[in-house]
Amino acid sequence: MDYEDIKLKRAGAVARITIDRPDQLNAMTTRTSDELVDAFTKLGEDPEVRCIVITGEGRGFSAGQDLKEFQSEYEAGRERDIEGHLRATYNRLVLQIVDTPKPVIAEINGVAAGAGLSLALACDLRVASEAARFTLAFVKIGLIPDSGATWHLARTIGYARALELAITGDLIDAERALEIGLVQRVVPADSLRDEVDTLAQELAALPTRAIAETTRLFREAQDGSLAEALDREALAQGELGRTPDHLEGVSAFLEKREPKFLGR
């Protein structure tokens, strides 16, 4: 696929996806979503890619859905098939990100609003610039949070805070986002790229299959019992115990050297 709305670059084992619609604060259209699904699918299958970063061009991470895509329908008073749109676009995208077997970092350079915030929540780690701002915003146009926000947000910051953000549509800054656990790190705007690149390279050097399994187990444990978690852990350890990365990790430990993981 030739991309028009996103840019894709590789630096060693790290891939960087940039939503490239800066004049619209990287608001997303159907094409944007389709391109992101394609990029995450290909990168997830590429054995040379060990970590993925997603960010936005210019002043914003993503302002969510570009309502101008449907402006003519709204102006004509026609009802939008929002359900069909979600199933064809954001639902596919969020599941693709969550199921990507590599760590995914959201580099939040500016506003993350609506489905843009949902997109960031689907990532494993969120690193924000001091200039970043966050809002669900859906309630401001008479809608509910979508694109996985009702699932991810409460698991990330807790039910009470998630509900408050959802029903007020409040805009919060980066420091507040860090305080409530919406993001894991906040860094100066001029060092955001360098900080994320360093983190991405660190993750890419680790046994990424183990990271993927850890992420999956933490996610599944949110809705299950302790007994179920113990069973899933045992199964995963059995599989990982047979991997080259496990053997390399143990060998490096015993030989007192730095391990060289392959992501296998």
PDB file of all heavy atoms in Angstrom, residues 193-219:
ATOM      1  N   ARG A 193      11.508  13.276  21.230  1.00  0.00           N
ATOM      2  CA  ARG A 193      11.939  12.321  20.202  1.00  0.00           C
ATOM      3  C   ARG A 193      13.132  11.511  20.694  1.00  0.00           C
ATOM      4  O   ARG A 193      13.162  10.271  20.555  1.00  0.00           O
ATOM      5  CB  ARG A 193      12.283  13.074  18.915  1.00  0.00           C
ATOM      6  CG  ARG A 193      12.857  12.208  17.781  1.00  0.00           C
ATOM      7  CD  ARG A 193      11.818  11.302  17.152  1.00  0.00           C
ATOM      8  NE  ARG A 193      12.356  10.558  16.046  1.00  0.00           N
ATOM      9  CZ  ARG A 193      12.274  10.932  14.771  1.00  0.00           C
ATOM     10  NH1 ARG A 193      11.665  12.066  14.441  1.00  0.00           N
ATOM     11  NH2 ARG A 193      12.774  10.187  13.814  1.00  0.00           N
ATOM     12  N   ASP A 194      14.116  12.164  21.269  1.00  0.00           N
ATOM     13  CA  ASP A 194      15.312  11.467  21.739  1.00  0.00           C
ATOM     14  C   ASP A 194      14.972  10.498  22.874  1.00  0.00           C
ATOM     15  O   ASP A 194      15.505   9.377  22.920  1.00  0.00           O
ATOM     16  CB  ASP A 194      16.364  12.465  22.218  1.00  0.00           C
ATOM     17  CG  ASP A 194      16.989  13.248  21.067  1.00  0.00           C
ATOM     18  OD1 ASP A 194      16.888  12.790  19.916  1.00  0.00           O
ATOM     19  OD2 ASP A 194      17.560  14.325  21.331  1.00  0.00           O
ATOM     20  N   GLU A 195      14.121  10.933  23.785  1.00  0.00           N
ATOM     21  CA  GLU A 195      13.738  10.071  24.920  1.00  0.00           C
ATOM     22  C   GLU A 195      13.017   8.819  24.423  1.00  0.00           C
ATOM     23  O   GLU A 195      13.288   7.706  24.894  1.00  0.00           O
ATOM     24  CB  GLU A 195      12.838  10.839  25.883  1.00  0.00           C
ATOM     25  CG  GLU A 195      13.525  11.986  26.609  1.00  0.00           C
ATOM     26  CD  GLU A 195      14.241  11.530  27.857  1.00  0.00           C
ATOM     27  OE1 GLU A 195      14.168  10.343  28.199  1.00  0.00           O
ATOM     28  OE2 GLU A 195      14.886  12.386  28.504  1.00  0.00           O
ATOM     29  N   VAL A 196      12.111   9.000  23.480  1.00  0.00           N
ATOM     30  CA  VAL A 196      11.364   7.852  22.959  1.00  0.00           C
ATOM     31  C   VAL A 196      12.276   6.943  22.150  1.00  0.00           C
ATOM     32  O   VAL A 196      12.185   5.705  22.252  1.00  0.00           O
ATOM     33  CB  VAL A 196      10.163   8.326  22.116  1.00  0.00           C
ATOM     34  CG1 VAL A 196       9.510   7.146  21.393  1.00  0.00           C
ATOM     35  CG2 VAL A 196       9.128   9.004  23.011  1.00  0.00           C
ATOM     36  N   ASP A 197      13.161   7.515  21.360  1.00  0.00           N
ATOM     37  CA  ASP A 197      14.086   6.689  20.587  1.00  0.00           C
ATOM     38  C   ASP A 197      14.965   5.839  21.506  1.00  0.00           C
ATOM     39  O   ASP A 197      15.211   4.652  21.220  1.00  0.00           O
ATOM     40  CB  ASP A 197      14.976   7.569  19.702  1.00  0.00           C
ATOM     41  CG  ASP A 197      14.262   8.063  18.462  1.00  0.00           C
ATOM     42  OD1 ASP A 197      13.187   7.523  18.148  1.00  0.00           O
ATOM     43  OD2 ASP A 197      14.770   8.998  17.811  1.00  0.00           O
ATOM     44  N   THR A 198      15.426   6.420  22.599  1.00  0.00           N
ATOM     45  CA  THR A 198      16.247   5.672  23.550  1.00  0.00           C
ATOM     46  C   THR A 198      15.451   4.528  24.164  1.00  0.00           C
ATOM     47  O   THR A 198      15.935   3.384  24.254  1.00  0.00           O
ATOM     48  CB  THR A 198      16.766   6.600  24.665  1.00  0.00           C
ATOM     49  OG1 THR A 198      17.606   7.597  24.087  1.00  0.00           O
ATOM     50  CG2 THR A 198      17.567   5.814  25.694  1.00  0.00           C
ATOM     51  N   LEU A 199      14.219   4.817  24.576  1.00  0.00           N
ATOM     52  CA  LEU A 199      13.364   3.778  25.154  1.00  0.00           C
ATOM     53  C   LEU A 199      13.074   2.681  24.135  1.00  0.00           C
ATOM     54  O   LEU A 199      13.130   1.489  24.462  1.00  0.00           O
ATOM     55  CB  LEU A 199      12.057   4.404  25.639  1.00  0.00           C
ATOM     56  CG  LEU A 199      10.987   3.440  26.161  1.00  0.00           C
ATOM     57  CD1 LEU A 199      11.499   2.636  27.354  1.00  0.00           C
ATOM     58  CD2 LEU A 199       9.714   4.208  26.533  1.00  0.00           C
ATOM     59  N   ALA A 200      12.793   3.078  22.905  1.00  0.00           N
ATOM     60  CA  ALA A 200      12.487   2.104  21.866  1.00  0.00           C
ATOM     61  C   ALA A 200      13.674   1.188  21.586  1.00  0.00           C
ATOM     62  O   ALA A 200      13.518  -0.028  21.413  1.00  0.00           O
ATOM     63  CB  ALA A 200      12.054   2.818  20.585  1.00  0.00           C
ATOM     64  N   GLN A 201      14.867   1.764  21.536  1.00  0.00           N
ATOM     65  CA  GLN A 201      16.058   0.955  21.306  1.00  0.00           C
ATOM     66  C   GLN A 201      16.297  -0.011  22.474  1.00  0.00           C
ATOM     67  O   GLN A 201      16.719  -1.153  22.270  1.00  0.00           O
ATOM     68  CB  GLN A 201      17.282   1.862  21.108  1.00  0.00           C
ATOM     69  CG  GLN A 201      17.241   2.701  19.843  1.00  0.00           C
ATOM     70  CD  GLN A 201      17.352   1.879  18.567  1.00  0.00           C
ATOM     71  OE1 GLN A 201      17.710   0.704  18.596  1.00  0.00           O
ATOM     72  NE2 GLN A 201      17.051   2.496  17.445  1.00  0.00           N
ATOM     73  N   GLU A 202      16.015   0.448  23.689  1.00  0.00           N
ATOM     74  CA  GLU A 202      16.165  -0.424  24.861  1.00  0.00           C
ATOM     75  C   GLU A 202      15.198  -1.604  24.776  1.00  0.00           C
ATOM     76  O   GLU A 202      15.578  -2.756  25.035  1.00  0.00           O
ATOM     77  CB  GLU A 202      15.918   0.372  26.136  1.00  0.00           C
ATOM     78  CG  GLU A 202      17.003   1.378  26.467  1.00  0.00           C
ATOM     79  CD  GLU A 202      16.644   2.243  27.659  1.00  0.00           C
ATOM     80  OE1 GLU A 202      15.502   2.122  28.164  1.00  0.00           O
ATOM     81  OE2 GLU A 202      17.501   3.056  28.084  1.00  0.00           O
ATOM     82  N   LEU A 203      13.959  -1.324  24.411  1.00  0.00           N
ATOM     83  CA  LEU A 203      12.966  -2.394  24.301  1.00  0.00           C
ATOM     84  C   LEU A 203      13.304  -3.347  23.159  1.00  0.00           C
ATOM     85  O   LEU A 203      13.138  -4.561  23.277  1.00  0.00           O
ATOM     86  CB  LEU A 203      11.578  -1.802  24.090  1.00  0.00           C
ATOM     87  CG  LEU A 203      10.973  -1.045  25.275  1.00  0.00           C
ATOM     88  CD1 LEU A 203       9.670  -0.383  24.872  1.00  0.00           C
ATOM     89  CD2 LEU A 203      10.732  -1.997  26.450  1.00  0.00           C
ATOM     90  N   ALA A 204      13.791  -2.775  22.051  1.00  0.00           N
ATOM     91  CA  ALA A 204      14.124  -3.602  20.890  1.00  0.00           C
ATOM     92  C   ALA A 204      15.258  -4.569  21.187  1.00  0.00           C
ATOM     93  O   ALA A 204      15.372  -5.630  20.561  1.00  0.00           O
ATOM     94  CB  ALA A 204      14.496  -2.713  19.703  1.00  0.00           C
ATOM     95  N   ALA A 205      16.110  -4.229  22.155  1.00  0.00           N
ATOM     96  CA  ALA A 205      17.233  -5.089  22.517  1.00  0.00           C
ATOM     97  C   ALA A 205      16.824  -6.200  23.485  1.00  0.00           C
ATOM     98  O   ALA A 205      17.619  -7.118  23.741  1.00  0.00           O
ATOM     99  CB  ALA A 205      18.350  -4.253  23.132  1.00  0.00           C
ATOM    100  N   LEU A 206      15.619  -6.128  24.007  1.00  0.00           N
ATOM    101  CA  LEU A 206      15.135  -7.135  24.956  1.00  0.00           C
ATOM    102  C   LEU A 206      14.464  -8.292  24.215  1.00  0.00           C
ATOM    103  O   LEU A 206      14.203  -8.210  23.008  1.00  0.00           O
ATOM    104  CB  LEU A 206      14.147  -6.476  25.928  1.00  0.00           C
ATOM    105  CG  LEU A 206      14.749  -5.443  26.888  1.00  0.00           C
ATOM    106  CD1 LEU A 206      13.643  -4.727  27.652  1.00  0.00           C
ATOM    107  CD2 LEU A 206      15.722  -6.107  27.850  1.00  0.00           C
ATOM    108  N   PRO A 207      14.168  -9.383  24.912  1.00  0.00           N
ATOM    109  CA  PRO A 207      13.466 -10.512  24.278  1.00  0.00           C
ATOM    110  C   PRO A 207      12.002 -10.141  24.027  1.00  0.00           C
ATOM    111  O   PRO A 207      11.152 -10.274  24.900  1.00  0.00           O
ATOM    112  CB  PRO A 207      13.609 -11.651  25.296  1.00  0.00           C
ATOM    113  CG  PRO A 207      13.816 -10.963  26.609  1.00  0.00           C
ATOM    114  CD  PRO A 207      14.550  -9.695  26.297  1.00  0.00           C
ATOM    115  N   THR A 208      11.712  -9.653  22.822  1.00  0.00           N
ATOM    116  CA  THR A 208      10.407  -9.074  22.542  1.00  0.00           C
ATOM    117  C   THR A 208       9.266 -10.093  22.581  1.00  0.00           C
ATOM    118  O   THR A 208       8.118  -9.720  22.803  1.00  0.00           O
ATOM    119  CB  THR A 208      10.423  -8.366  21.176  1.00  0.00           C
ATOM    120  OG1 THR A 208      11.072  -9.203  20.211  1.00  0.00           O
ATOM    121  CG2 THR A 208      11.188  -7.063  21.273  1.00  0.00           C
ATOM    122  N   ARG A 209       9.574 -11.351  22.372  1.00  0.00           N
ATOM    123  CA  ARG A 209       8.508 -12.349  22.498  1.00  0.00           C
ATOM    124  C   ARG A 209       8.053 -12.435  23.952  1.00  0.00           C
ATOM    125  O   ARG A 209       6.856 -12.555  24.228  1.00  0.00           O
ATOM    126  CB  ARG A 209       8.976 -13.714  22.005  1.00  0.00           C
ATOM    127  CG  ARG A 209       7.878 -14.760  22.081  1.00  0.00           C
ATOM    128  CD  ARG A 209       8.255 -16.072  21.432  1.00  0.00           C
ATOM    129  NE  ARG A 209       7.229 -17.079  21.649  1.00  0.00           N
ATOM    130  CZ  ARG A 209       7.331 -18.341  21.266  1.00  0.00           C
ATOM    131  NH1 ARG A 209       8.427 -18.739  20.617  1.00  0.00           N
ATOM    132  NH2 ARG A 209       6.363 -19.198  21.506  1.00  0.00           N
ATOM    133  N   ALA A 210       8.993 -12.360  24.877  1.00  0.00           N
ATOM    134  CA  ALA A 210       8.637 -12.370  26.296  1.00  0.00           C
ATOM    135  C   ALA A 210       7.844 -11.118  26.660  1.00  0.00           C
ATOM    136  O   ALA A 210       6.912 -11.171  27.474  1.00  0.00           O
ATOM    137  CB  ALA A 210       9.890 -12.465  27.156  1.00  0.00           C
ATOM    138  N   ILE A 211       8.201  -9.980  26.065  1.00  0.00           N
ATOM    139  CA  ILE A 211       7.445  -8.747  26.308  1.00  0.00           C
ATOM    140  C   ILE A 211       6.010  -8.898  25.809  1.00  0.00           C
ATOM    141  O   ILE A 211       5.052  -8.517  26.488  1.00  0.00           O
ATOM    142  CB  ILE A 211       8.126  -7.546  25.619  1.00  0.00           C
ATOM    143  CG1 ILE A 211       9.461  -7.237  26.302  1.00  0.00           C
ATOM    144  CG2 ILE A 211       7.218  -6.319  25.655  1.00  0.00           C
ATOM    145  CD1 ILE A 211      10.252  -6.134  25.620  1.00  0.00           C
ATOM    146  N   ALA A 212       5.846  -9.461  24.620  1.00  0.00           N
ATOM    147  CA  ALA A 212       4.505  -9.644  24.063  1.00  0.00           C
ATOM    148  C   ALA A 212       3.664 -10.555  24.945  1.00  0.00           C
ATOM    149  O   ALA A 212       2.478 -10.286  25.189  1.00  0.00           O
ATOM    150  CB  ALA A 212       4.610 -10.216  22.647  1.00  0.00           C
ATOM    151  N   GLU A 213       4.264 -11.634  25.433  1.00  0.00           N
ATOM    152  CA  GLU A 213       3.521 -12.555  26.299  1.00  0.00           C
ATOM    153  C   GLU A 213       3.186 -11.903  27.638  1.00  0.00           C
ATOM    154  O   GLU A 213       2.102 -12.091  28.188  1.00  0.00           O
ATOM    155  CB  GLU A 213       4.327 -13.832  26.523  1.00  0.00           C
ATOM    156  CG  GLU A 213       4.317 -14.779  25.350  1.00  0.00           C
ATOM    157  CD  GLU A 213       2.918 -15.295  25.069  1.00  0.00           C
ATOM    158  OE1 GLU A 213       2.371 -16.056  25.887  1.00  0.00           O
ATOM    159  OE2 GLU A 213       2.354 -14.920  24.016  1.00  0.00           O
ATOM    160  N   THR A 214       4.114 -11.111  28.169  1.00  0.00           N
ATOM    161  CA  THR A 214       3.852 -10.395  29.424  1.00  0.00           C
ATOM    162  C   THR A 214       2.684  -9.438  29.260  1.00  0.00           C
ATOM    163  O   THR A 214       1.774  -9.379  30.107  1.00  0.00           O
ATOM    164  CB  THR A 214       5.102  -9.606  29.859  1.00  0.00           C
ATOM    165  OG1 THR A 214       6.194 -10.510  30.045  1.00  0.00           O
ATOM    166  CG2 THR A 214       4.847  -8.853  31.160  1.00  0.00           C
ATOM    167  N   THR A 215       2.687  -8.690  28.174  1.00  0.00           N
ATOM    168  CA  THR A 215       1.598  -7.751  27.905  1.00  0.00           C
ATOM    169  C   THR A 215       0.262  -8.482  27.798  1.00  0.00           C
ATOM    170  O   THR A 215      -0.755  -8.046  28.357  1.00  0.00           O
ATOM    171  CB  THR A 215       1.876  -6.983  26.604  1.00  0.00           C
ATOM    172  OG1 THR A 215       3.132  -6.303  26.726  1.00  0.00           O
ATOM    173  CG2 THR A 215       0.781  -5.973  26.320  1.00  0.00           C
ATOM    174  N   ARG A 216       0.253  -9.588  27.077  1.00  0.00           N
ATOM    175  CA  ARG A 216      -0.987 -10.361  26.912  1.00  0.00           C
ATOM    176  C   ARG A 216      -1.499 -10.885  28.246  1.00  0.00           C
ATOM    177  O   ARG A 216      -2.697 -10.796  28.553  1.00  0.00           O
ATOM    178  CB  ARG A 216      -0.749 -11.532  25.949  1.00  0.00           C
ATOM    179  CG  ARG A 216      -1.981 -12.415  25.737  1.00  0.00           C
ATOM    180  CD  ARG A 216      -1.679 -13.583  24.825  1.00  0.00           C
ATOM    181  NE  ARG A 216      -0.760 -14.541  25.428  1.00  0.00           N
ATOM    182  CZ  ARG A 216      -1.135 -15.500  26.273  1.00  0.00           C
ATOM    183  NH1 ARG A 216      -2.412 -15.626  26.644  1.00  0.00           N
ATOM    184  NH2 ARG A 216      -0.244 -16.342  26.752  1.00  0.00           N
ATOM    185  N   LEU A 217      -0.601 -11.409  29.067  1.00  0.00           N
ATOM    186  CA  LEU A 217      -1.022 -11.982  30.346  1.00  0.00           C
ATOM    187  C   LEU A 217      -1.548 -10.914  31.301  1.00  0.00           C
ATOM    188  O   LEU A 217      -2.538 -11.133  32.003  1.00  0.00           O
ATOM    189  CB  LEU A 217       0.137 -12.743  30.983  1.00  0.00           C
ATOM    190  CG  LEU A 217       0.536 -14.038  30.258  1.00  0.00           C
ATOM    191  CD1 LEU A 217       1.824 -14.589  30.828  1.00  0.00           C
ATOM    192  CD2 LEU A 217      -0.575 -15.067  30.339  1.00  0.00           C
ATOM    193  N   PHE A 218      -0.900  -9.760  31.332  1.00  0.00           N
ATOM    194  CA  PHE A 218      -1.409  -8.671  32.164  1.00  0.00           C
ATOM    195  C   PHE A 218      -2.807  -8.252  31.709  1.00  0.00           C
ATOM    196  O   PHE A 218      -3.694  -7.996  32.528  1.00  0.00           O
ATOM    197  CB  PHE A 218      -0.457  -7.473  32.115  1.00  0.00           C
ATOM    198  CG  PHE A 218       0.558  -7.467  33.223  1.00  0.00           C
ATOM    199  CD1 PHE A 218       1.741  -8.178  33.100  1.00  0.00           C
ATOM    200  CD2 PHE A 218       0.327  -6.774  34.396  1.00  0.00           C
ATOM    201  CE1 PHE A 218       2.686  -8.187  34.115  1.00  0.00           C
ATOM    202  CE2 PHE A 218       1.257  -6.779  35.422  1.00  0.00           C
ATOM    203  CZ  PHE A 218       2.438  -7.491  35.287  1.00  0.00           C
ATOM    204  N   ARG A 219      -2.997  -8.180  30.391  1.00  0.00           N
ATOM    205  CA  ARG A 219      -4.296  -7.770  29.852  1.00  0.00           C
ATOM    206  C   ARG A 219      -5.374  -8.788  30.197  1.00  0.00           C
ATOM    207  O   ARG A 219      -6.457  -8.433  30.668  1.00  0.00           O
ATOM    208  CB  ARG A 219      -4.182  -7.586  28.339  1.00  0.00           C
ATOM    209  CG  ARG A 219      -5.436  -7.027  27.678  1.00  0.00           C
ATOM    210  CD  ARG A 219      -5.147  -6.639  26.235  1.00  0.00           C
ATOM    211  NE  ARG A 219      -4.778  -7.786  25.420  1.00  0.00           N
ATOM    212  CZ  ARG A 219      -3.590  -7.944  24.838  1.00  0.00           C
ATOM    213  NH1 ARG A 219      -2.653  -7.042  24.999  1.00  0.00           N
ATOM    214  NH2 ARG A 219      -3.345  -9.005  24.091  1.00  0.00           N
TER     215      ARG A 219
END
